[in-house]
Amino acid sequence: MTSKQTVKFVINGDEVELEVLPHWSLLKVLRDSLDLTGAKPGCGEGECGACTVLVNGIPINSCIYPIMEADGKEVLTVEGLAANNGLHPIQQAFLEKAGVQCGFCTPGMIMSAKALLDTNPNPSEDEIRHAIAGNMCRCTGYVQIVESIQHAAGLMADARKRL
Ligand code: FES
C-alpha cells in the first residue's frame, strides 16, 4: 500500500502543507483537499485545458500534474486572481466582451491569458490564439475570447498607468 507523503507549496499566496498520495494530481488536491473548484475536471488527459492553473507562472494541465511536482512551488488558480473583492482586469474583460458562455472553459482560459499577459502585455491576435491553443471552448467560437484578452491587455495597461 502506498503511504501518504507531505507536500508543501504556496497556493494563491498562502503556504500549505498537506498529506497526499503521490499519485494524486494537483487538480484533485486543489478541488478535494483545498476546496478550490475553479479549475475544472474536463478530459482528464491534459487535452482540453479546463484544469489550467499556473505553477511558477507557467500554465499547466493540473489534471495530469503529479501533486509531488508542486512541492516548493507557487500555484495560482483563478480564485487567486481577484484582489480586494474586485475582479482582476482579465475577469472584467471576459465579462465585458462576452468571453463567457457556459463558463466551463473560462477559469482555464483566464489562467492561460494571465500567463500570456504577464510576459507579453501587448500580444498580437496570433500570439493570443497560440497562448490559448491548449484551451478548448465548445461555445464561443473563440472570437469573443480573443477579444476579451485583447480588452484585458488594454485594461491592464490602463491600470499600470494609474500606479
Ligand atoms: Fe462554454 Fe467555453 S464558454 S466551453
Side-chain angles (χ1 to χ4, degrees), residues 85-96:
N85 296 326
L87 292 178
H88 187 281
I90 302 174
Q91 295 171 310
Q92 190 64 39
F94 269 69
L95 280 182
E96 291 177 6

Side-chain angles (χ1 to χ4, degrees), residues 42-64:
C43 66
E45 297 177 352
E47 295 292 337
C48 77
C51 65
T52 304
V53 302
L54 305 191
V55 175
N56 288 353
I58 308 289
I60 58 97
N61 291 310
S62 61
C63 72
I64 55 167

Side-chain angles (χ1 to χ4, degrees), residues 99-106 109 136-142 145:
V100 181
Q101 287 188 23
C102 82
F104 192 78
C105 71
T106 309
M109 284 288 182
M136 289 182 194
C137 177
R138 288 161 291 188
C139 305
T140 65
Y142 299 94
I145 289 175

